[in-house]
């Protein structure tokens, strides 16, 4: 063996050993003993066999789904990826007396790139008030449909805002959704017992998924938009996702002609063979309570509805959810997950 070949061999071996050591160090850094359960467990993504030596935990996902549904030939429908709708995240139990002010993050990582897709993100100056058991966090994501054919990881890092400068950890840890344990016809309930709480996540599997991006606008007239907007798919109409709730602190309710309703969530994954259902429970311009239900098929991009003196417009952008091969994590022979 010549000197150059020996150098390459030893250099490669050395780099591999260094990354293995860094991998162990980083795994220890994100492993904590939970004060509630007494268990030592990771609080962030560190699934084997990936080497996380250089993985950037805080990098946000940049995946954009597409193309538009009308541009997808029927011969490609079978290539649509599965997805997951996060129906709700609830504070199922609190060791601290209500009411409490909760802030922090809940994020998802999927197989597209394992980067951060935020579902809930509030700073200390903008906490959510939780007044009783089983109240839902006001979700603001995901910004795109999640890929759900493989494992999916949820990281929770929630705190309680205290009266002084020091706050307490409320929920902190990693929850893994394993696809092979999922019954696709029923919601999946995941739970994290940690710190001062038990937090539950409800998810629904979506086969051959389309991404529906929802917009709600006023075409004419002025309205105070109070009430709630929810969404589901026709195959799971009992599991509704809240898109807008005027009772959540900070929600904009005053809209003029041409204004857009500030939905907290805009993205719903819809199975190819199902419809999108939208539910409105609002007061019209005459201050009368109105309950409306819209059934929107994948070929429909727009619906309008009269609410007294104002007209409501619903617009949907349909895209195909495909596996993002071009942005998949780079997995080397050494098992290094690049940052």
């Amino acid at each position: 063996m010549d000197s150059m070949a020996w150098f390459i061999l030893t250099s490669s071996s050395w780099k591999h050993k260094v990354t293995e050591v860094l991998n162990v160090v980083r795994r220890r850094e994100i492993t904590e003993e939970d004060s509630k359960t007494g268990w030592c467990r990771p609080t962030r993504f560190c699934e084997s066999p990936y080497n996380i030596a250089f993985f950037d935990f805080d990098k946000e996902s940049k995946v954009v789904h597409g193309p538009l549904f009308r541009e997808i030939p029927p011969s490609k429908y079978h290539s649509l990826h599965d997805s997951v709708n996060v129906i709700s995240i609830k504070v199922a139990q609190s060791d601290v007396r209500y009411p409490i002010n909760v802030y922090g993050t809940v994020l998802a990582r999927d197989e597209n790139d394992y980067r951060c897709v935020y579902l809930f993100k509030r700073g200390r100056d903008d906490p959510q008030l939780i007044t009783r058991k089983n109240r839902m966090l006001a979700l603001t994501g995901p910004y795109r449909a999640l890929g759900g054919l493989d494992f999916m990881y949820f990281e929770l890092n929630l705190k309680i805002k205290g009266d002084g400068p020091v706050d307490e950890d409320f929920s902190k840890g990693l929850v893994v959704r394993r696809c092979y344990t999922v019954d696709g016809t029923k919601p999946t309930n995941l739970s994290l017992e940690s710190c001062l709480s038990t937090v539950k996540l409800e998810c629904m599997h979506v086969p051959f998924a389309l991404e529906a991006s929802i917009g709600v606008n006023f075409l004419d007239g002025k309205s105070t938009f109070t009430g709630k907007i929810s969404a589901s798919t026709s195959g799971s109409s009992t599991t509704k996702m809240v898109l807008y709730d005027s009772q959540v602190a900070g929600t904009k309710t005053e809209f003029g002609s041409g204004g857009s309703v500030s939905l907290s969530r805009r993205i719903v994954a819809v199975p190819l063979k199902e419809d999108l259902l939208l539910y409105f429970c609002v007061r019209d311009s005459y201050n009368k309570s109105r309950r409306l239900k819209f059934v929107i098929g994948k070929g429909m991009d727009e619906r309008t509805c009269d609410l007294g003196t104002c007209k409501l417009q619903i617009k949907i952008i349909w895209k195909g959810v495909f596996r993002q091969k071009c942005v998949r994590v780079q997995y080397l022979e050494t098992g290094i997950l690049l940052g």
Side-chain angles (χ1 to χ4, degrees), residues 132-259:
R132 58 181 174 84
K133 180 179 178 180
N134 285 329
R135 292 295 290 177
M136 293 188 295
L137 296 182
L139 303 186
T140 56
Y143 81 92
R144 62 163 171 84
L146 300 170
L149 195 60
D150 203 346
F151 291 173
M152 190 171 293
Y153 307 88
F154 298 95
E155 293 179 14
L156 290 81
N157 187 8
L158 301 173
K159 295 180 180 292
I160 293 179
K161 182 179 179 180
D163 296 330
V166 179
D167 300 327
E168 295 183 276
D169 286 331
F170 186 62
S171 179
K172 188 174 185 180
L174 180 70
V175 180
V176 183
R177 176 187 177 275
R178 294 173 171 85
C179 61
Y180 56 80
T181 63
V182 172
D183 179 354
T185 63
K186 299 179 181 179
T188 301
N189 291 294
L190 306 172
S191 180
L192 177 64
E193 182 183 4
S194 67
C195 303
L196 298 171
S197 68
T198 300
V199 176
K200 292 187 176 181
L201 295 82
E202 184 179 20
C203 305
M204 190 69 193
H205 179 74
V206 182
F208 300 99
L210 299 176
E211 177 188 276
S213 180
I214 303 163
V216 179
N217 309 298
F218 283 98
L219 296 182
D220 49 44
K222 186 176 181 179
S223 174
T224 300
F225 197 78
T226 57
K228 184 180 289 187
I229 304 175
S230 304
S232 74
T233 65
S234 56
S236 55
S237 58
T238 58
T239 53
K240 298 177 182 177
M241 294 158 277
V242 177
L243 308 183
Y244 174 92
D245 187 350
S246 61
Q247 293 186 351
V248 175
T251 300
K252 181 182 177 183
T253 59
E254 293 285 345
F255 302 95
S257 180

Side-chain angles (χ1 to χ4, degrees), residues 120-133:
F120 178 87
K121 189 176 184 181
R122 282 178 177 255
R124 191 177 190 276
D125 296 334
D126 181 34
Q128 180 179 343
L129 180 66
I130 305 294
T131 57
R132 58 181 174 84
K133 180 179 178 180

Side-chain angles (χ1 to χ4, degrees), residues 107-124:
L107 61 89
R109 300 183 190 273
D110 64 16
E111 61 187 76
N112 283 308
D113 58 2
Y114 296 116
R115 305 302 183 193
C116 303
V117 179
Y118 285 100
L119 308 176
F120 178 87
K121 189 176 184 181
R122 282 178 177 255
R124 191 177 190 276

Side-chain angles (χ1 to χ4, degrees), residues 42-61:
T43 59
R44 309 207 71 175
F45 170 76
C46 59
E47 190 75 8
S48 296
Y50 295 114
N51 184 312
I52 61 171
F54 306 110
F55 184 65
D56 186 346
F57 286 110
D58 300 316
K59 190 172 183 179
E60 295 189 38
S61 177

Side-chain angles (χ1 to χ4, degrees), residues 260-277:
S260 176
V261 178
S262 302
L263 301 180
S264 57
R265 298 177 65 180
R266 294 183 176 275
I267 300 297
V268 176
V270 182
L272 176 66
K273 295 183 178 181
E274 296 182 20
D275 296 323
L276 170 67
L277 306 184

Side-chain angles (χ1 to χ4, degrees), residues 323-334:
R323 186 187 297 270
Q324 304 292 311
K325 294 181 180 180
C326 61
V327 293
R328 295 277 291 172
V329 291
Q330 300 178 58
Y331 186 69
L332 307 183
E333 290 183 354
T334 55

